[in-house]
C-alpha cells in the first residue's frame, strides 16, 4: 500500500473542511478525487502532505504514520505536490525553476536531471531561458509537473492540473500523467469526469469533506445518476 488516509478531520479555524475522510492508493495507481467546488479536494491533498494537518485520523505513507509532520519532512520522504496555482517562480527562467527544485530525496536514483527533462519534454527545453512569467498556462503547468519530478516523488499529488487550460494542452498534461505513472503513484483532483476517467483507474467522489462514492472509472463513466448527483456536468 502506498498511501492510506484513515478517517481524517481537518479544520481551517472553525471551518470543518474534512469530516472523516478515508481513501487508499496502491503503488502504481492513478486515482482521481472528484467533487464540486468546496467539496474538500484541495484540503485532502494539503492534509496528506502536511500543509494542513488533520486534527483527527491518520495518514499512513508506505506503512509509516506521517500525520502531523511538517510538509518539508513529508516531501522529503517522497511525496510531491503541484498546487492549483502552480507556484512557479515568475522571475526565474525555466532552467532556474528546475534548478531550485533539484535536491535529492534520500534513496532517490538521481535519474531525473534537467537534461533528461529537456530531452523528454522538448517543449520545456525550447523555453529553457525564458522567464516563468512569460509562459502560457499550459507551459507553466508542464513546468510545475516537471519541477516536482526533480525530487523523484514516489507519490505525486496534482491539484486540478487542467484548470483553465485549452483542450490541446489538457491532452498534453494527460499524456504526461500517463508517462509519469510508469514510475510514480498519482493522486489528482478534477471537477469534471471526462479527463479524470480517461487517465485514472479509480475515482473517489467527495462532498462536504467526505467520500460519498468510490468507483472504477469504467463504472463511473456510465453511471450518470451518480455524476449528476455529485458532480458539475454539462
Ligand atoms: P475547489 O475546487 O474550489 O478547490 P475543493 O474541493 O478543493 O474546491 P477545498 O478547497 O478543499 O475544496 O475546500 C473545502 C472547504 O474548506 C470549503 O468549504 C472551503 O470553503 C473551506 N476552505 C478552504 N480553504 C480555506 C481557508 N483557507 N480558510 C477557511 N476555509 C477554507
Amino acid at each position: 500500500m502506498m498511501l492510506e488516509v484513515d478517517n481524517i478531520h481537518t479544520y481551517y479555524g472553525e471551518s470543518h473542511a474534512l469530516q472523516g475522510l478515508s481513501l487508499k492508493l496502491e503503488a502504481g495507481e492513478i486515482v482521481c478525487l472528484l467533487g464540486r467546488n468546496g467539496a474538500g479536494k484541495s484540503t485532502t491533498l494539503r492534509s496528506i502532505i502536511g500543509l494542513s494537518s488533520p486534527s483527527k485520523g491518520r495518514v499512513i505513507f508506505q506503512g509509516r504514520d506521517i500525520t502531523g509532520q511538517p510538509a518539508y519532512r513529508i516531501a522529503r520522504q517522497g511525496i510531491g505536490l503541484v498546487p492549483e496555482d502552480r507556484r512557479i517562480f515568475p522571475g526565474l527562467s525555466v532552467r532556474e525553476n528546475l534548478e531550485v527544485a533539484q535536491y535529492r530525496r534520500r534513496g532517490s536514483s538521481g535519474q531525473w536531471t534537467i537534461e533528461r527533462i529537456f530531452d523528454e519534454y522538448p517543449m520545456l527545453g525550447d523555453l529553457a531561458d525564458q522567464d516563468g512569467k512569460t509562459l502560457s498556462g499550459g507551459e507553466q503547468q508542464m513546468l510545475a509537473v516537471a519541477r516536482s519530478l526533480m525530487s523523484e516523488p514516489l507519490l505525486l499529488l496534482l491539484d486540478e492540473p487542467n484548470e483553465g487550460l485549452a483542450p490541446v494542452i489538457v491532452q498534453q498534461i494527460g499524456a504526461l500523467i500517463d508517462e509519469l505513472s510508469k514510475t510514480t503513484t498519482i493522486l489528482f483532483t478534477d471537477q469534471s469526469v471526462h479527463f479524470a476517467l480517461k487517465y485514472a483507474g479509480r475515482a473517489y467522489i467527495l462532498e462536504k469533506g467526505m467520500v460519498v462514492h468510490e468507483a472504477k472509472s469504467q463504472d463511473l463513466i456510465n453511471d450518470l445518476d451518480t455524476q449528476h448527483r455529485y458532480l458539475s456536468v454539462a
Side-chain angles (χ1 to χ4, degrees), residues 12-13 15-18 35-44 84 159-160 189 191 206:
Y12 295 102
S15 162
H16 194 176
L18 298 187
R36 296 196 174 100
N37 260 330
K41 303 179 297 293
S42 303
T43 307
T44 302
E84 206 169 346
D159 201 358
E160 298 205 23
T189 72
Q191 289 206 20
L206 272 55

Side-chain angles (χ1 to χ4, degrees), residues 131-197:
D131 278 359
K133 61 175 170 283
T134 69
L135 305 186
S136 70
E139 291 163 350
Q140 286 186 26
Q141 186 62 271
M142 293 288 284
L143 175 58
V145 174
R147 188 176 59 180
S148 69
L149 290 179
M150 298 300 292
S151 58
E152 291 182 31
L154 302 168
L155 171 64
L156 184 58
L157 310 174
L158 301 169
D159 201 358
E160 298 205 23
N162 297 319
E163 212 197 2
L165 302 183
V168 56
I169 306 291
V170 168
Q171 244 176 15
Q172 287 177 24
I173 301 290
L176 182 57
I177 288 178
D178 242 7
E179 171 72 24
L180 294 179
S181 69
K182 292 177 189 161
T183 51
T184 307
T185 305
I186 296 176
L187 179 62
F188 70 94
T189 72
D190 208 337
Q191 289 206 20
S192 74
V193 288
H194 305 291
F195 174 88
L197 299 186

Side-chain angles (χ1 to χ4, degrees), residues 78-92:
I79 303 184
L81 169 70
V82 178
E84 206 169 346
D85 61 9
R86 297 163 196 150
R87 300 275 167 89
I88 65 163
F89 297 106
L92 299 185

